[in-house]
């Protein structure tokens, strides 16, 4: 049985609790399409979220079955109802970056089926300022190890819908999206996604594919993240720390 935490010795000090990092292979219709370094837990949600945010599936109804391999819990096997032609893309990812293994920049850019730019949601700046503390309070893994990232989904009123953690930012994001996909709560119209680290191009892409109009990060965005958010019509907030924040795109949604 896998665990999310492990004790390791520290020279001259008591043993430390560390977040576990292990590979997860994702197979679609018997073909391996991705290997990601992740924290054990919510493997099927991670697989479904990955397939959705990469544009391989558009709805959970396209999935006939999803299960862990009987012989290897580090393998998620997904069977789609229709044949899917796997593109020539290398999906190997580390826990820190989800796009560095793809074959070309053109294959990185997955277009959303949701018109995020038309979402009329508005969020009070005072509400945004409270979200990092709410996210931190829900980060049990980070509290124990200090080594996990989180993705939290909030309503525009600031209510926490769910939070997922992982050693990788993009995995935490996919676990959250995969969970909501199973519940039938995607697209995330009218919602805010908050990530515990920086806002990368890939996380902005995933927010767009999931139909989320607002993406916030406690750290900095990248230039490509800002450019993609502007193209998609996403409100991108960075350096969200208390009452301080930078709104890079679509500031009309922040009141």
């Amino acid at each position: 049985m896998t665990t999310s935490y492990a004790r390791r010795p520290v020279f001259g000090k008591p043993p430390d609790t560390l977040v576990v990092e292990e590979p997860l292979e994702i197979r679609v219709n018997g073909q391996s399409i991705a290997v990601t370094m992740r924290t054990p837990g919510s493997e099927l949600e991670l697989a479904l979220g990955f397939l959705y945010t990469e544009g391989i599936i558009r709805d959970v109804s396209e999935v006939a079955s999803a299960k862990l391999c009987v012989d290897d819990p580090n393998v998620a096997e997904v069977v789609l109802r229709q044949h899917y032609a796997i593109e020539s893309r290398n999906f190997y990812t580390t826990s820190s970056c989800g796009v560095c293994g793809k074959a070309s920049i053109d294959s990185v850019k997955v277009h959303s089926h949701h018109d995020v730019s038309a979402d009329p949601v508005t969020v009070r700046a005072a509400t945004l300022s409270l979200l990092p503390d709410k996210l931190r309070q829900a980060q049990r893994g980070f509290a124990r190890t200090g080594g996990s990232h989180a993705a939290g989904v909030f309503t525009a009123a600031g209510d926490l819908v769910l939070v997922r953690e992982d050693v990788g930012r993009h995995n935490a994001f996919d676990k959250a999206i995969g969970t909501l996909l199973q519940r039938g709560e995607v697209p995330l119209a009218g919602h805010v996604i908050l990530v515990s680290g920086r806002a990368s191009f890939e996380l902005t892409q995933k927010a767009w594919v999931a139909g989320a109009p607002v993406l916030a990060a406690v750290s900095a965005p990248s230039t490509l993240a800002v450019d993609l958010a502007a193209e998609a019509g996403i409100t991108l907030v960075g350096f969200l720390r208390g009452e301080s924040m930078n709104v890079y795109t679509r500031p009309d949604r922040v009141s």
Side-chain angles (χ1 to χ4, degrees), residues 105-126:
I105 192 65
D106 290 336
S107 69
V108 167
K109 195 171 182 180
V110 178
H111 285 282
S112 174
H113 301 289
H114 308 300
D115 185 8
V116 178
S117 64
D119 195 310
V121 67
T122 58
V123 184
R124 292 176 58 87

Side-chain angles (χ1 to χ4, degrees), residues 117-185:
S117 64
D119 195 310
V121 67
T122 58
V123 184
R124 292 176 58 87
T127 299
L128 286 173
S129 69
L130 299 176
L131 300 190
D133 283 344
K134 291 183 178 182
L135 183 66
R136 178 63 64 85
Q137 291 172 11
Q139 289 180 250
R140 297 179 181 178
F142 184 84
R144 293 188 63 178
T145 68
S148 61
H149 288 282
V153 179
F154 295 85
T155 67
D159 298 321
L160 179 63
V161 177
L162 64 76
V163 61
R164 291 294 182 268
E165 292 183 271
D166 196 274
V167 71
R169 295 186 307 270
H170 58 288
N171 289 336
F173 205 106
D174 282 341
K175 285 180 178 180
I177 299 304
T179 301
L180 294 175
L181 188 66
Q182 289 181 318
R183 298 179 184 177
E185 298 178 17

Side-chain angles (χ1 to χ4, degrees), residues 5-55:
Y5 318 109
R7 300 282 284 176
R8 289 293 186 271
V10 180
F11 291 106
K13 296 182 179 180
D16 199 7
T17 301
L18 304 178
V19 63
V20 173
E21 182 177 26
E22 293 181 352
L24 177 70
E25 179 184 355
I26 300 174
R27 297 176 184 171
V28 174
N29 293 350
Q31 182 175 348
S32 179
I33 68 164
V35 177
T36 185
M37 301 303 295
R38 99 305 184 187
T39 299
S42 302
E43 281 80 10
L44 297 183
E45 290 82 358
L46 169 57
L48 293 176
F50 175 85
L51 296 180
Y52 183 81
T53 59
E54 289 293 336

Side-chain angles (χ1 to χ4, degrees), residues 38-98:
R38 99 305 184 187
T39 299
S42 302
E43 281 80 10
L44 297 183
E45 290 82 358
L46 169 57
L48 293 176
F50 175 85
L51 296 180
Y52 183 81
T53 59
E54 289 293 336
I56 296 175
I57 62 173
R58 295 181 61 174
D59 189 80
V60 72
S61 63
E62 299 177 21
V63 178
S65 65
K67 61 183 180 180
L68 294 180
C69 179
V70 175
D71 299 325
D72 188 349
N74 286 331
V75 176
E77 298 179 319
V78 180
V79 176
L80 302 185
R81 298 187 185 280
Q82 296 183 351
H83 174 72
Y84 175 76
I86 304 298
E87 299 177 9
S88 178
R89 294 165 65 178
N90 177 7
F91 279 112
Y92 174 79
T93 62
T94 69
S95 58
S96 61
C97 175

Side-chain angles (χ1 to χ4, degrees), residues 201-226:
F201 173 91
E202 187 188 31
L203 294 187
T204 306
Q205 170 188 284
K206 289 178 181 295
W208 186 9
V209 174
V214 182
L215 173 63
V218 299
S219 191
S222 68
T223 56
L224 281 179
V226 174

